[in-house]
């Protein structure tokens, strides 16, 4: 087993919840790239996008990947939706793609206004759908393991990952 486990996938597919459940099961530390960026910038993601722009945020993600590679082992790492398309992720650990269709993601998120509001890239749903289409193949390429998450609970997904790593 590679030392870190990295969960990737589109916004709203459950990476953070699954990472917490999996880390608990495996008795490992749980990290979240969005939270790490927010802490280091002392700003919410939404504010980083509005004040500094998306390109600045992507640069932060790139730098964070470098830092994690240099300093983190044995962690379960939840990532932001764009973090998981970066090259070189497999050098950080075992990459697990939580795969879910766009319509499913939308129906999950649409009941939760807070979830939609905190994500600048979900403001325009047509653009979000195009982003999903552009990224879907890349997530597959970056992954060591693909887990279909439709109709599965967080607990079931964590259990499935555990049985397959
Ligand atoms: C983004 C996903 C978000 C967050 C930022 C950009 C993306 O994370 O990093 O809003 O580019 O897909 P979640 O996937 O946790 O929503």
């Amino acid at each position: 087993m590679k030392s870190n486990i990295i969960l990737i996938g589109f916004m709203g597919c459950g990476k953070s919840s699954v990472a917490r459940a999996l880390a608990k099961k495996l008795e490992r530390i749980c990290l979240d790239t969005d939270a790490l960026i927010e802490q280091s910038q002392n700003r919410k993601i939404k504010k980083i996008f509005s004040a500094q722009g998306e390109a600045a945020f992507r640069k932060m993600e790139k730098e964070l990947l470098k830092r994690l590679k240099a300093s983190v082992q044995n962690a379960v790492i939840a990532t932001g939706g764009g973090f998981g398309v970066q090259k070189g992720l497999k050098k950080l650990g075992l990459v697990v793609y939580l795969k879910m269709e766009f319509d499913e993601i939308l129906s999950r998120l649409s009941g939760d206004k807070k979830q939609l509001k905190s994500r600048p890239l979900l403001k325009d749903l047509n653009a979000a759908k195009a982003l999903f289409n552009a990224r879907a193949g890349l997530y597959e390429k970056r992954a060591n393991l693909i887990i279909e998450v439709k109709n599965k609970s967080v607990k079931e997904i964590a259990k499935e990952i555990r049985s397959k790593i």
Side-chain angles (χ1 to χ4, degrees), residues 9-13 15-16 32-34 37 45-46 49 54 57-58 61 78-83 109 115 118-122 131 135 139:
F10 204 66
M11 293 171 266
C13 70
K15 293 162 294 194
S16 302
D32 188 309
T33 61
D34 282 345
I37 290 174
I45 303 284
K46 204 177 156 192
F49 269 70
E54 182 175 346
F57 178 72
R58 299 301 172 206
E61 288 189 312
T79 60
F83 195 94
L109 292 177
Q115 292 273 3
S118 66
R119 293 175 164 96
L121 297 178
L122 288 179
L131 187 63
R135 281 183 182 167
Y139 289 137

Side-chain angles (χ1 to χ4, degrees), residues 18-161:
V18 173
R20 280 193 296 270
L22 184 63
K24 201 172 165 197
K25 257 188 199 304
L26 299 174
E27 298 185 332
R28 291 187 186 207
I29 279 179
C30 183
L31 299 173
D32 188 309
T33 61
D34 282 345
L36 290 170
I37 290 174
E38 286 184 338
Q39 279 158 20
S40 70
Q41 298 296 314
N42 202 19
R43 269 183 167 167
K44 292 283 176 201
I45 303 284
K46 204 177 156 192
K47 184 76 190 166
I48 297 173
F49 269 70
S50 64
Q52 293 161 269
E54 182 175 346
F57 178 72
R58 299 301 172 206
K59 211 169 149 210
M60 291 169 199
E61 288 189 312
K62 224 172 148 184
E63 276 160 16
L64 178 59
L65 176 58
K66 266 197 225 155
R67 267 189 281 137
L68 290 173
K69 277 186 195 161
S71 60
V72 175
Q73 278 186 347
N74 296 318
V76 177
I77 306 171
T79 60
F83 195 94
V85 299
Q86 296 191 81
K87 281 188 186 154
L89 269 190
K90 284 180 182 147
K91 287 199 186 118
L92 179 62
L94 185 93
V95 184
V96 181
Y97 171 30
L98 303 188
K99 186 173 177 181
M100 194 184 243
E101 290 312 316
F102 187 72
D103 292 347
E104 173 96 5
I105 289 175
L106 262 198
S107 71
R108 274 191 56 170
L109 292 177
S110 58
D112 192 339
K113 286 235 166 70
K114 204 173 145 212
Q115 292 273 3
L116 281 176
K117 266 183 82 180
S118 66
R119 293 175 164 96
L121 297 178
L122 288 179
K123 251 195 294 187
D124 173 345
L125 292 184
N126 285 327
K129 168 96 186 156
L131 187 63
F132 177 90
N133 289 337
R135 281 183 182 167
L138 268 179
Y139 289 137
E140 301 215 359
K141 199 167 143 188
R142 301 282 181 251
N144 298 106
L145 177 65
I146 299 172
I147 305 280
E148 299 272 354
V149 295
K150 189 177 177 179
N151 295 332
K152 292 178 189 160
S153 70
V154 167
K155 228 173 158 182
E156 284 167 338
I157 300 164
K159 203 170 158 196
E160 186 175 338
I161 296 173

